Amino acid sequence: MNALVALCHFCELHGPRTLFCTEALHPPSPAPSSQAGASVSGDRDRDGDREGEGLTMRANSSATQRGEMCEGCRSLPASHPGFVSIDDETGIRFLSHQHPRQPQLFSVVRQACVRSLSCEVCPGREGPIFFGDEQHGFVFSHTFFIKDSLARGFQRWYSIVMVAMDRIYLINSWPFLLRHLKLTIQSLQSTALKVFDNEQGVCPQRAVRMNSAFSPAVLPHQRSGNAARSLTSLTQHPNLWASLHSSFSWLLKACGSRLTEKLLEGAPTEDTLVLIEKQTGKRIMLLRFCFLNGELFKTPSVVLQVLGATDFRQLAWHVLMGNQVIWRGADPGLIQSAFTVLKSLLPVGCVRSVPYSAQYEEAYKCNFLGLSPDVPIPTHVSSSEFSVLVDVISERSCQISALSEDDIGSLYQFTISSASTQPTDRGPTLLNKLEVALSNENLSVDVVSHCLLCLKEEWMNKVKVLFKFSKVDGRGREDTQKVLALLGATGPGEEDNVRLLKYWMTGLSKTYKSHLMTARPSASKSQVV
């Protein structure tokens, strides 16, 4: 996240002033060069660092020349090098000084400081507020007071601002920023309150002020003396600025990594919701594959010779029905590639995969299971109609990525066996449409991928309707049959269609199920005449 954090103060003599600023410097993009060139580049980077420090010092010195600075307006002396923290994971450097490292940011932070402590205030003057524009950036500001026994009203006015150009990102980070900035502010206030109570116990300033005679001649001297007190003296914190540097650096790092952008067209799909619930953190990618010459499937990374049209239909039928699909062979990469293609036929919530195992795993644990060739299949599995076994026999060991499609057919043999007697010639309607798309040689890989995605979403919508009708509303068998007819799930292959819908119902996201279960029925129900 490209942002910076600054601590600001309203001085009674000089007005709003920036006290402390932390910004993140991203590492430059590496350029291809020789080793000698890299060493020269490293020298240039070090020179750039020195030049950056010089810019900081010049900015600070120029700021000092523009107006006198009292102790209350100053955090670090001009000779102080500032604070630097480096993130080992990303290489980002967090620099802290009184003013930004880059001179062009000085005016941006200055304007944010003035607005946060003057015109842009919330009711009660303490609390968070948001303001800004496209030209000068957007600002999240939190104003607060620090106790001071020598100040007018016994308190001084401060603010912490975060400046960024991304308005949406900053608004979405509001709860996170508010929660963590409050911790920093409460720490400063509680520390200053202890100092305030100790000073008041030694010399109560309220009584001293009431007993002193008012004189216009001594008023400027009193104001000058009150304005010269720094935040360090108010808190008696010897490592105040180093502590704020650590807090602001962590805030920039955490705020930049807590949110990631994801492009969604329309409402999120069921697959997206399931992936979010599983917190996989991985981007959803469309699997690109095609049916070549009625014989082969193709993925982006591995070219795999699979089955003829008849055997593929039988295998795809078992996948769509939720039966356990077992691949047994000596090449884990080949099995993984096959699973990548077959899993794309199902909603994400219906997939439970063990890519490669040295022992058999029961069907309730996984519906995709890869086994080494010497693993025996239990009798109750080989005789079950709810499983299918694909034995992969290789003529010789070889890297698949180094082979052409013609070579793959001569290296591997596939044998499919299943105890199921269910005819697959009719099959579910989804399988028939899928076969038509795969066998059409005029369709490109991308078109077939999008066709599969549309078919899956079409049938997931039917699953949602059936779930709402049968599970939530609790309608009877006769009404459910009418709904199936409206969904186009009756007719040839009706038994397979119903079985597919019930199996896919297990892949619905918990978010959708919870929404339907907790939704209140409408007060009035219309009757269909």
Side-chain angles (χ1 to χ4, degrees), residues 150-206:
L150 301 181
R152 291 187 301 174
F154 301 103
Q155 59 186 11
R156 297 190 184 274
W157 198 11
Y158 292 85
S159 71
I160 297 178
V161 298
M162 173 172 277
V163 186
M165 299 304 296
D166 194 337
R167 175 175 59 89
I168 301 300
Y169 204 109
L170 201 56
I171 292 178
N172 289 336
S173 301
W174 179 290
F176 175 82
L177 293 174
L178 182 60
R179 181 170 63 254
H180 290 282
L181 286 182
K182 276 186 175 181
L183 297 177
T184 303
I185 293 172
Q186 290 172 359
S187 176
L188 293 174
Q189 289 177 331
S190 61
T191 307
L193 182 60
K194 294 179 182 179
V195 177
F196 175 82
D197 293 337
N198 292 335
E199 293 177 347
Q200 288 291 82
V202 175
C203 180
Q205 290 295 316
R206 188 178 299 275

Short mmCIF file of all heavy atoms in Angstrom, two decimals, residues 150-206:
data_model
loop_
_atom_site.label_atom_id
_atom_site.label_comp_id
_atom_site.label_asym_id
_atom_site.label_seq_id
_atom_site.Cartn_x
_atom_site.Cartn_y
_atom_site.Cartn_z
N LEU A 150 0.90 22.89 31.78
CA LEU A 150 1.30 24.26 31.48
C LEU A 150 0.55 24.85 30.29
O LEU A 150 0.77 26.01 29.96
CB LEU A 150 2.81 24.33 31.21
CG LEU A 150 3.73 23.87 32.35
CD1 LEU A 150 5.18 24.01 31.95
CD2 LEU A 150 3.44 24.67 33.62
N ALA A 151 -0.27 24.06 29.60
CA ALA A 151 -0.97 24.54 28.42
C ALA A 151 -2.29 25.20 28.81
O ALA A 151 -2.85 24.97 29.88
CB ALA A 151 -1.24 23.38 27.45
N ARG A 152 -2.81 26.03 27.91
CA ARG A 152 -4.13 26.62 28.12
C ARG A 152 -5.17 25.51 28.03
O ARG A 152 -5.20 24.74 27.07
CB ARG A 152 -4.42 27.67 27.05
CG ARG A 152 -3.55 28.92 27.18
CD ARG A 152 -4.00 29.98 26.19
NE ARG A 152 -3.93 29.51 24.82
CZ ARG A 152 -4.38 30.21 23.78
NH1 ARG A 152 -4.95 31.39 23.97
NH2 ARG A 152 -4.25 29.75 22.56
N GLY A 153 -6.02 25.42 29.02
CA GLY A 153 -6.99 24.35 29.08
C GLY A 153 -6.40 23.03 29.53
O GLY A 153 -7.08 22.01 29.52
N PHE A 154 -5.09 23.04 29.90
CA PHE A 154 -4.39 21.87 30.41
C PHE A 154 -4.34 20.71 29.41
O PHE A 154 -4.31 19.55 29.78
CB PHE A 154 -5.01 21.38 31.74
CG PHE A 154 -5.00 22.41 32.82
CD1 PHE A 154 -6.15 23.11 33.16
CD2 PHE A 154 -3.82 22.70 33.49
CE1 PHE A 154 -6.13 24.07 34.16
CE2 PHE A 154 -3.80 23.66 34.50
CZ PHE A 154 -4.96 24.36 34.84
N GLN A 155 -4.34 21.03 28.13
CA GLN A 155 -4.22 19.98 27.13
C GLN A 155 -3.75 20.57 25.81
O GLN A 155 -3.92 21.76 25.55
CB GLN A 155 -5.56 19.25 26.92
CG GLN A 155 -6.70 20.14 26.47
CD GLN A 155 -8.02 19.41 26.43
OE1 GLN A 155 -8.13 18.28 26.93
NE2 GLN A 155 -9.03 20.03 25.86
N ARG A 156 -3.10 19.73 25.02
CA ARG A 156 -2.62 20.12 23.70
C ARG A 156 -3.25 19.21 22.64
O ARG A 156 -3.58 18.07 22.91
CB ARG A 156 -1.10 20.08 23.64
CG ARG A 156 -0.42 21.05 24.60
CD ARG A 156 1.07 21.16 24.34
NE ARG A 156 1.71 22.02 25.32
CZ ARG A 156 1.79 23.35 25.20
NH1 ARG A 156 1.27 23.94 24.14
NH2 ARG A 156 2.39 24.07 26.13
N TRP A 157 -3.33 19.74 21.44
CA TRP A 157 -4.09 19.09 20.37
C TRP A 157 -3.14 18.43 19.38
O TRP A 157 -2.21 19.06 18.86
CB TRP A 157 -4.93 20.15 19.67
CG TRP A 157 -6.05 19.59 18.86
CD1 TRP A 157 -6.51 18.31 18.86
CD2 TRP A 157 -6.86 20.30 17.94
NE1 TRP A 157 -7.56 18.17 18.01
CE2 TRP A 157 -7.80 19.38 17.42
CE3 TRP A 157 -6.90 21.62 17.51
CZ2 TRP A 157 -8.75 19.75 16.47
CZ3 TRP A 157 -7.85 21.98 16.57
CH2 TRP A 157 -8.77 21.06 16.06
N TYR A 158 -3.37 17.13 19.12
CA TYR A 158 -2.54 16.35 18.20
C TYR A 158 -3.46 15.59 17.24
O TYR A 158 -4.68 15.46 17.46
CB TYR A 158 -1.66 15.35 18.95
CG TYR A 158 -0.57 15.98 19.77
CD1 TYR A 158 -0.81 16.42 21.07
CD2 TYR A 158 0.72 16.13 19.27
CE1 TYR A 158 0.18 17.00 21.84
CE2 TYR A 158 1.73 16.70 20.02
CZ TYR A 158 1.45 17.13 21.30
OH TYR A 158 2.44 17.70 22.06
N SER A 159 -2.85 15.04 16.21
CA SER A 159 -3.58 14.17 15.27
C SER A 159 -2.60 13.21 14.62
O SER A 159 -1.41 13.53 14.46
CB SER A 159 -4.31 14.98 14.20
OG SER A 159 -3.39 15.57 13.29
N ILE A 160 -3.10 12.03 14.27
CA ILE A 160 -2.35 11.07 13.47
C ILE A 160 -3.08 10.92 12.14
O ILE A 160 -4.28 10.64 12.12
CB ILE A 160 -2.23 9.71 14.17
CG1 ILE A 160 -1.46 9.84 15.48
CG2 ILE A 160 -1.54 8.69 13.27
CD1 ILE A 160 -1.33 8.53 16.25
N VAL A 161 -2.37 11.14 11.04
CA VAL A 161 -2.99 11.09 9.72
C VAL A 161 -2.31 10.01 8.90
O VAL A 161 -1.10 9.78 9.01
CB VAL A 161 -2.89 12.45 9.00
CG1 VAL A 161 -3.63 13.52 9.76
CG2 VAL A 161 -1.44 12.86 8.77
N MET A 162 -3.11 9.32 8.09
CA MET A 162 -2.59 8.41 7.07
C MET A 162 -3.02 8.96 5.71
O MET A 162 -4.22 9.13 5.46
CB MET A 162 -3.09 6.98 7.26
CG MET A 162 -2.70 6.06 6.10
SD MET A 162 -3.08 4.32 6.38
CE MET A 162 -1.66 3.82 7.33
N VAL A 163 -2.05 9.21 4.84
CA VAL A 163 -2.30 9.80 3.54
C VAL A 163 -2.05 8.75 2.47
O VAL A 163 -1.01 8.08 2.47
CB VAL A 163 -1.39 11.02 3.30
CG1 VAL A 163 -1.75 11.71 1.99
CG2 VAL A 163 -1.47 12.00 4.46
N ALA A 164 -3.00 8.59 1.55
CA ALA A 164 -2.88 7.63 0.44
C ALA A 164 -3.66 8.16 -0.75
O ALA A 164 -4.57 8.98 -0.60
CB ALA A 164 -3.38 6.26 0.85
N MET A 165 -3.32 7.68 -1.94
CA MET A 165 -4.02 8.08 -3.15
C MET A 165 -5.20 7.17 -3.47
O MET A 165 -6.04 7.53 -4.29
CB MET A 165 -3.05 8.09 -4.34
CG MET A 165 -1.89 9.07 -4.19
SD MET A 165 -2.41 10.77 -3.90
CE MET A 165 -3.29 11.11 -5.43
N ASP A 166 -5.25 6.00 -2.85
CA ASP A 166 -6.31 5.03 -3.11
C ASP A 166 -7.44 5.25 -2.11
O ASP A 166 -7.36 4.85 -0.95
CB ASP A 166 -5.76 3.61 -3.00
CG ASP A 166 -6.71 2.57 -3.58
OD1 ASP A 166 -7.92 2.87 -3.66
OD2 ASP A 166 -6.24 1.49 -3.97
N ARG A 167 -8.50 5.88 -2.56
CA ARG A 167 -9.62 6.20 -1.67
C ARG A 167 -10.35 4.94 -1.20
O ARG A 167 -10.67 4.81 0.00
CB ARG A 167 -10.60 7.13 -2.40
CG ARG A 167 -11.87 7.44 -1.61
CD ARG A 167 -12.71 8.44 -2.37
NE ARG A 167 -13.08 7.95 -3.69
CZ ARG A 167 -14.17 7.24 -3.96
NH1 ARG A 167 -15.01 6.94 -2.98
NH2 ARG A 167 -14.43 6.82 -5.19
N ILE A 168 -10.63 4.01 -2.12
CA ILE A 168 -11.38 2.80 -1.77
C ILE A 168 -10.60 1.96 -0.76
O ILE A 168 -11.16 1.47 0.23
CB ILE A 168 -11.70 1.98 -3.03
CG1 ILE A 168 -12.53 2.83 -4.01
CG2 ILE A 168 -12.45 0.71 -2.66
CD1 ILE A 168 -13.85 3.31 -3.47
N TYR A 169 -9.31 1.83 -1.00
CA TYR A 169 -8.48 1.03 -0.09
C TYR A 169 -8.46 1.65 1.30
O TYR A 169 -8.54 0.96 2.32
CB TYR A 169 -7.06 0.94 -0.65
CG TYR A 169 -6.28 -0.25 -0.18
CD1 TYR A 169 -6.00 -1.30 -1.04
CD2 TYR A 169 -5.85 -0.36 1.13
CE1 TYR A 169 -5.29 -2.40 -0.61
CE2 TYR A 169 -5.15 -1.46 1.57
CZ TYR A 169 -4.86 -2.47 0.69
OH TYR A 169 -4.17 -3.57 1.13
N LEU A 170 -8.36 2.97 1.37
CA LEU A 170 -8.29 3.64 2.66
C LEU A 170 -9.61 3.54 3.41
O LEU A 170 -9.63 3.33 4.64
CB LEU A 170 -7.92 5.11 2.44
CG LEU A 170 -7.32 5.86 3.64
CD1 LEU A 170 -6.09 5.16 4.16
CD2 LEU A 170 -6.99 7.29 3.25
N ILE A 171 -10.71 3.64 2.70
CA ILE A 171 -12.02 3.52 3.35
C ILE A 171 -12.24 2.09 3.84
O ILE A 171 -12.75 1.87 4.95
CB ILE A 171 -13.14 3.95 2.38
CG1 ILE A 171 -13.06 5.46 2.11
CG2 ILE A 171 -14.51 3.59 2.93
CD1 ILE A 171 -14.08 5.97 1.12
N ASN A 172 -11.86 1.11 3.04
CA ASN A 172 -12.01 -0.28 3.46
C ASN A 172 -11.12 -0.61 4.66
O ASN A 172 -11.42 -1.56 5.40
CB ASN A 172 -11.68 -1.22 2.30
CG ASN A 172 -12.73 -1.20 1.22
OD1 ASN A 172 -13.88 -0.86 1.47
ND2 ASN A 172 -12.35 -1.54 0.00
N SER A 173 -10.05 0.15 4.85
CA SER A 173 -9.15 -0.08 5.99
C SER A 173 -9.57 0.70 7.22
O SER A 173 -8.86 0.67 8.23
CB SER A 173 -7.72 0.31 5.60
OG SER A 173 -7.26 -0.43 4.49
N TRP A 174 -10.68 1.41 7.16
CA TRP A 174 -11.13 2.26 8.29
C TRP A 174 -11.21 1.50 9.61
O TRP A 174 -10.61 1.93 10.61
CB TRP A 174 -12.47 2.90 7.94
CG TRP A 174 -13.07 3.77 9.02
CD1 TRP A 174 -13.58 3.37 10.21
CD2 TRP A 174 -13.20 5.19 8.99
NE1 TRP A 174 -14.05 4.44 10.92
CE2 TRP A 174 -13.82 5.58 10.20
CE3 TRP A 174 -12.86 6.18 8.06
CZ2 TRP A 174 -14.12 6.90 10.50
CZ3 TRP A 174 -13.16 7.49 8.37
CH2 TRP A 174 -13.77 7.85 9.57
N PRO A 175 -11.92 0.36 9.71
CA PRO A 175 -11.99 -0.33 11.02
C PRO A 175 -10.62 -0.78 11.52
O PRO A 175 -10.34 -0.69 12.73
CB PRO A 175 -12.90 -1.53 10.73
CG PRO A 175 -13.66 -1.17 9.50
CD PRO A 175 -12.72 -0.33 8.69
N PHE A 176 -9.78 -1.25 10.60
CA PHE A 176 -8.44 -1.70 11.00
C PHE A 176 -7.60 -0.54 11.50
O PHE A 176 -6.95 -0.63 12.56
CB PHE A 176 -7.76 -2.37 9.80
CG PHE A 176 -6.33 -2.77 10.04
CD1 PHE A 176 -6.04 -3.95 10.70
CD2 PHE A 176 -5.29 -1.96 9.61
CE1 PHE A 176 -4.72 -4.32 10.92
CE2 PHE A 176 -3.98 -2.32 9.83
CZ PHE A 176 -3.70 -3.51 10.49
N LEU A 177 -7.60 0.58 10.77
CA LEU A 177 -6.83 1.75 11.19
C LEU A 177 -7.34 2.32 12.51
O LEU A 177 -6.55 2.67 13.40
CB LEU A 177 -6.89 2.82 10.11
CG LEU A 177 -6.21 2.50 8.78
CD1 LEU A 177 -6.47 3.60 7.76
CD2 LEU A 177 -4.72 2.32 8.97
N LEU A 178 -8.64 2.40 12.65
CA LEU A 178 -9.22 2.96 13.86
C LEU A 178 -8.85 2.13 15.09
O LEU A 178 -8.49 2.67 16.14
CB LEU A 178 -10.74 3.06 13.71
CG LEU A 178 -11.50 3.66 14.89
CD1 LEU A 178 -11.05 5.09 15.16
CD2 LEU A 178 -13.00 3.62 14.63
N ARG A 179 -8.90 0.81 14.93
CA ARG A 179 -8.61 -0.07 16.07
C ARG A 179 -7.17 0.07 16.53
O ARG A 179 -6.89 0.17 17.74
CB ARG A 179 -8.92 -1.51 15.68
CG ARG A 179 -8.68 -2.51 16.80
CD ARG A 179 -9.24 -3.87 16.45
NE ARG A 179 -8.59 -4.47 15.29
CZ ARG A 179 -9.13 -4.57 14.10
NH1 ARG A 179 -10.35 -4.09 13.87
NH2 ARG A 179 -8.49 -5.14 13.09
N HIS A 180 -6.24 0.12 15.60
CA HIS A 180 -4.83 0.13 15.98
C HIS A 180 -4.32 1.53 16.30
O HIS A 180 -3.42 1.67 17.15
CB HIS A 180 -3.99 -0.50 14.86
CG HIS A 180 -4.20 -1.98 14.72
ND1 HIS A 180 -3.63 -2.90 15.56
CD2 HIS A 180 -4.96 -2.69 13.84
CE1 HIS A 180 -4.00 -4.12 15.21
NE2 HIS A 180 -4.80 -4.02 14.18
N LEU A 181 -4.86 2.57 15.67
CA LEU A 181 -4.46 3.92 16.04
C LEU A 181 -4.96 4.28 17.43
O LEU A 181 -4.29 5.04 18.16
CB LEU A 181 -4.99 4.92 15.01
CG LEU A 181 -4.27 4.95 13.66
CD1 LEU A 181 -4.87 6.01 12.75
CD2 LEU A 181 -2.78 5.19 13.84
N LYS A 182 -6.11 3.75 17.81
CA LYS A 182 -6.60 3.99 19.16
C LYS A 182 -5.64 3.44 20.21
O LYS A 182 -5.46 4.04 21.28
CB LYS A 182 -7.99 3.37 19.35
CG LYS A 182 -9.12 4.24 18.85
CD LYS A 182 -10.47 3.63 19.20
CE LYS A 182 -11.61 4.56 18.82
NZ LYS A 182 -12.93 3.97 19.17
N LEU A 183 -5.03 2.30 19.92
CA LEU A 183 -4.07 1.74 20.87
C LEU A 183 -2.86 2.66 21.04
O LEU A 183 -2.39 2.88 22.17
CB LEU A 183 -3.61 0.35 20.39
CG LEU A 183 -4.69 -0.73 20.29
CD1 LEU A 183 -4.11 -2.02 19.74
CD2 LEU A 183 -5.30 -0.98 21.67
N THR A 184 -2.37 3.21 19.93
CA THR A 184 -1.23 4.14 20.02
C THR A 184 -1.63 5.41 20.76
O THR A 184 -0.88 5.91 21.61
CB THR A 184 -0.74 4.49 18.61
OG1 THR A 184 -0.37 3.28 17.92
CG2 THR A 184 0.47 5.42 18.66
N ILE A 185 -2.80 5.94 20.44
CA ILE A 185 -3.25 7.17 21.08
C ILE A 185 -3.48 6.97 22.58
O ILE A 185 -3.08 7.80 23.41
CB ILE A 185 -4.52 7.69 20.39
CG1 ILE A 185 -4.19 8.13 18.96
CG2 ILE A 185 -5.15 8.82 21.17
CD1 ILE A 185 -5.40 8.46 18.12
N GLN A 186 -4.12 5.87 22.93
CA GLN A 186 -4.37 5.60 24.35
C GLN A 186 -3.07 5.43 25.12
O GLN A 186 -2.98 5.84 26.29
CB GLN A 186 -5.24 4.36 24.49
CG GLN A 186 -6.67 4.56 24.03
CD GLN A 186 -7.47 3.27 23.99
OE1 GLN A 186 -6.94 2.18 24.30
NE2 GLN A 186 -8.73 3.35 23.61
N SER A 187 -2.06 4.85 24.46
CA SER A 187 -0.76 4.71 25.13
C SER A 187 -0.13 6.08 25.39
O SER A 187 0.40 6.34 26.49
CB SER A 187 0.17 3.85 24.27
OG SER A 187 1.45 3.76 24.84
N LEU A 188 -0.20 6.98 24.40
CA LEU A 188 0.34 8.33 24.60
C LEU A 188 -0.44 9.09 25.67
O LEU A 188 0.16 9.77 26.52
CB LEU A 188 0.29 9.10 23.27
CG LEU A 188 1.21 8.62 22.15
CD1 LEU A 188 0.93 9.40 20.86
CD2 LEU A 188 2.67 8.77 22.54
N GLN A 189 -1.76 8.98 25.65
CA GLN A 189 -2.57 9.72 26.60
C GLN A 189 -2.38 9.22 28.03
O GLN A 189 -2.30 10.02 28.96
CB GLN A 189 -4.05 9.63 26.20
CG GLN A 189 -4.38 10.42 24.95
CD GLN A 189 -5.83 10.26 24.54
OE1 GLN A 189 -6.46 9.22 24.81
NE2 GLN A 189 -6.38 11.28 23.90
N SER A 190 -2.30 7.91 28.20
CA SER A 190 -2.13 7.37 29.54
C SER A 190 -0.76 7.73 30.12
O SER A 190 -0.63 8.04 31.32
CB SER A 190 -2.31 5.86 29.53
OG SER A 190 -1.34 5.23 28.68
N THR A 191 0.27 7.71 29.27
CA THR A 191 1.61 8.08 29.73
C THR A 191 1.66 9.55 30.11
O THR A 191 2.23 9.93 31.15
CB THR A 191 2.65 7.78 28.65
OG1 THR A 191 2.54 6.42 28.24
CG2 THR A 191 4.06 8.02 29.17
N ALA A 192 1.06 10.41 29.27
CA ALA A 192 1.04 11.85 29.57
C ALA A 192 0.19 12.16 30.79
O ALA A 192 0.48 13.10 31.55
CB ALA A 192 0.53 12.62 28.36
N LEU A 193 -0.85 11.38 31.02
CA LEU A 193 -1.71 11.62 32.18
C LEU A 193 -0.97 11.38 33.49
O LEU A 193 -1.17 12.09 34.48
CB LEU A 193 -2.95 10.73 32.08
CG LEU A 193 -3.99 10.89 33.20
CD1 LEU A 193 -4.52 12.33 33.24
CD2 LEU A 193 -5.14 9.90 33.01
N LYS A 194 -0.10 10.38 33.51
CA LYS A 194 0.69 10.12 34.72
C LYS A 194 1.63 11.29 35.01
O LYS A 194 1.77 11.71 36.17
CB LYS A 194 1.48 8.83 34.54
CG LYS A 194 0.64 7.58 34.43
CD LYS A 194 1.51 6.34 34.22
CE LYS A 194 0.64 5.10 34.07
NZ LYS A 194 1.47 3.87 33.83
N VAL A 195 2.26 11.83 33.95
CA VAL A 195 3.14 12.98 34.13
C VAL A 195 2.33 14.19 34.60
O VAL A 195 2.76 14.95 35.49
CB VAL A 195 3.88 13.30 32.82
CG1 VAL A 195 4.74 14.55 32.96
CG2 VAL A 195 4.72 12.11 32.39
N PHE A 196 1.15 14.37 34.02
CA PHE A 196 0.27 15.48 34.40
C PHE A 196 -0.13 15.40 35.87
O PHE A 196 -0.08 16.41 36.60
CB PHE A 196 -0.96 15.48 33.49
CG PHE A 196 -1.99 16.50 33.86
CD1 PHE A 196 -1.86 17.82 33.44
CD2 PHE A 196 -3.11 16.14 34.61
CE1 PHE A 196 -2.82 18.78 33.78
CE2 PHE A 196 -4.07 17.09 34.95
CZ PHE A 196 -3.92 18.40 34.53
N ASP A 197 -0.53 14.21 36.32
CA ASP A 197 -0.93 14.04 37.72
C ASP A 197 0.24 14.29 38.68
O ASP A 197 0.05 14.91 39.75
CB ASP A 197 -1.49 12.63 37.94
CG ASP A 197 -2.81 12.42 37.21
OD1 ASP A 197 -3.48 13.42 36.92
OD2 ASP A 197 -3.15 11.25 36.92
N ASN A 198 1.43 13.86 38.30
CA ASN A 198 2.59 14.09 39.16
C ASN A 198 2.91 15.58 39.26
O ASN A 198 3.21 16.09 40.36
CB ASN A 198 3.81 13.34 38.62
CG ASN A 198 3.65 11.84 38.75
OD1 ASN A 198 2.91 11.34 39.60
ND2 ASN A 198 4.34 11.09 37.89
N GLU A 199 2.84 16.29 38.13
CA GLU A 199 3.13 17.72 38.15
C GLU A 199 2.07 18.49 38.91
O GLU A 199 2.39 19.46 39.63
CB GLU A 199 3.24 18.25 36.72
CG GLU A 199 4.44 17.71 35.96
CD GLU A 199 4.49 18.19 34.53
OE1 GLU A 199 3.47 18.74 34.05
OE2 GLU A 199 5.54 18.02 33.87
N GLN A 200 0.83 18.10 38.77
CA GLN A 200 -0.23 18.77 39.51
C GLN A 200 -0.13 18.51 41.01
O GLN A 200 -0.49 19.35 41.82
CB GLN A 200 -1.60 18.32 39.00
CG GLN A 200 -1.96 18.85 37.62
CD GLN A 200 -2.21 20.34 37.63
OE1 GLN A 200 -1.27 21.13 37.57
NE2 GLN A 200 -3.48 20.73 37.72
N GLY A 201 0.37 17.33 41.36
CA GLY A 201 0.55 17.05 42.78
C GLY A 201 1.64 17.88 43.40
O GLY A 201 1.57 18.26 44.58
N VAL A 202 2.66 18.20 42.63
CA VAL A 202 3.76 19.02 43.13
C VAL A 202 3.37 20.50 43.15
O VAL A 202 3.59 21.21 44.15
CB VAL A 202 5.03 18.81 42.27
CG1 VAL A 202 6.15 19.76 42.71
CG2 VAL A 202 5.49 17.37 42.37
N CYS A 203 2.79 20.96 42.06
CA CYS A 203 2.42 22.38 41.94
C CYS A 203 1.13 22.51 41.15
O CYS A 203 1.16 22.53 39.91
CB CYS A 203 3.55 23.17 41.28
SG CYS A 203 3.21 24.94 41.10
N PRO A 204 -0.02 22.60 41.81
CA PRO A 204 -1.30 22.74 41.09
C PRO A 204 -1.34 24.04 40.30
O PRO A 204 -1.28 25.13 40.88
CB PRO A 204 -2.34 22.73 42.21
CG PRO A 204 -1.65 22.11 43.38
CD PRO A 204 -0.21 22.51 43.26
N GLN A 205 -1.43 23.91 38.99
CA GLN A 205 -1.38 25.09 38.14
C GLN A 205 -2.68 25.89 38.15
O GLN A 205 -2.66 27.10 37.91
CB GLN A 205 -1.05 24.66 36.69
CG GLN A 205 0.36 24.17 36.51
CD GLN A 205 1.36 25.28 36.75
OE1 GLN A 205 1.19 26.41 36.28
NE2 GLN A 205 2.42 24.97 37.48
N ARG A 206 -3.78 25.25 38.44
CA ARG A 206 -5.05 25.99 38.42
C ARG A 206 -5.05 27.08 39.50
O ARG A 206 -5.46 28.22 39.27
CB ARG A 206 -6.21 25.03 38.62
CG ARG A 206 -7.58 25.68 38.43
CD ARG A 206 -8.67 24.65 38.60
NE ARG A 206 -8.56 23.59 37.62
CZ ARG A 206 -9.08 23.66 36.40
NH1 ARG A 206 -9.73 24.76 36.02
NH2 ARG A 206 -8.95 22.67 35.56
#
